[in-house]
Amino acid sequence: MATKSKGRQKIVMAKMREESNLRVTFSKWCSGSFKKASELSTLCGVEIVIVVFSPMKRVFSFGHPNVEQIFDKFIDAQNPSPTNSTSLQLVQALHSARARLLNTQLCELLHHLEEQKQQREEIKKLRKQGQDMFWWEAPVDDLGFEQLDMLKREIKDQTSSEACNDAGSTGTRWV
């Protein structure tokens, strides 16, 4: 006699204890909710917005046609006072989250720009020091790691090409 399965079990609605399970479940439910909202807006032609704050304090939003347009429409329709409007707080939270992201990106770009400026200044200094000579003619102590590496490769290339030229002229084959 075959054993019967228990079938689909009911999930207890309580906060999960394990953080990894919590993150996975949030991700799946969030994407599923956004998908359902998209289907609802497509099938019924409604404007819809969903704003979700993750357990990691990140903001996720979905809106059709877009989040800001629907929030603005809702705020205009309700004509709320700016001090205790939850929708206004949500909009401000969304804007501040985006601003933080853009500020982070800006800081990274400024840091990269500063590094590039420092490299340019170092190159200018090297050029001023050795205006009468090429960088590979400068004292080895003044060269940086990258320049030393380039010099090493050039010397290898020169010695191998000279060896090939010598071998070709004498008829001797170098292996």
Side-chain angles (χ1 to χ4, degrees):
M1 177 184 222
T3 60
K4 290 187 174 182
S5 69
K6 291 184 177 181
R8 187 172 174 174
Q9 297 292 310
K10 185 174 183 176
I11 299 172
V12 177
M13 286 295 150
K15 185 174 179 179
M16 296 180 169
R17 293 187 181 130
E18 236 181 281
E19 192 170 323
S20 62
N21 291 347
L22 183 94
R23 287 181 184 175
V24 170
T25 302
F26 172 79
S27 175
K28 288 180 180 181
W29 280 60
C30 190
S31 64
S33 299
F34 289 169
K35 183 178 178 185
K36 289 291 183 185
S38 174
E39 291 171 357
L40 179 65
S41 68
T42 302
L43 292 173
C44 300
V46 297
E47 295 177 344
I48 190 166
V49 67
I50 298 176
V51 177
V52 181
F53 293 88
S54 76
M56 303 306 293
K57 309 295 185 235
R58 296 179 67 194
V59 180
F60 297 90
S61 63
F62 169 82
H64 181 76
N66 73 37
V67 176
E68 288 85 7
Q69 182 180 357
I70 296 172
F71 273 137
D72 290 341
K73 190 174 183 178
F74 178 75
I75 290 170
D76 290 343
Q78 298 295 316
N79 202 8
S81 66
T83 54
N84 47 346
S85 167
T86 57
S87 61
L88 183 59
Q89 291 172 352
L90 290 174
V91 170
Q92 290 173 343
L94 182 64
H95 285 296
S96 65
R98 286 188 179 165
R100 280 192 302 273
L101 177 65
L102 290 172
N103 280 336
T104 303
Q105 291 174 346
L106 177 63
C107 288
E108 290 172 0
L109 288 172
L110 289 174
H111 180 70
H112 182 69
L113 177 65
E114 189 62 34
E115 288 176 349
Q116 294 293 324
K117 284 181 180 179
Q118 288 175 354
Q119 287 179 354
R120 185 179 71 198
E121 291 302 317
E122 289 177 17
I123 291 172
K124 282 183 181 179
K125 286 178 186 175
L126 286 174
R127 284 185 180 162
K128 283 182 183 178
Q129 288 175 354
Q131 284 181 348
D132 297 337
M133 59 181 137
F134 294 105
W135 65 265
W136 56 83
E137 295 173 334
V140 177
D141 294 339
D142 295 341
L143 298 178
F145 178 74
E146 293 153 355
Q147 293 169 333
L148 288 170
D149 192 41
M150 287 174 55
L151 183 61
K152 178 183 167 186
R153 280 188 264 131
E154 287 297 321
I155 290 172
K156 281 185 178 181
D157 290 346
Q158 287 294 324
T159 54
S160 65
S161 66
E162 287 175 7
C164 289
N165 288 342
D166 290 343
S169 63
T170 61
T172 308
R173 184 173 178 189
W174 293 85
V175 180

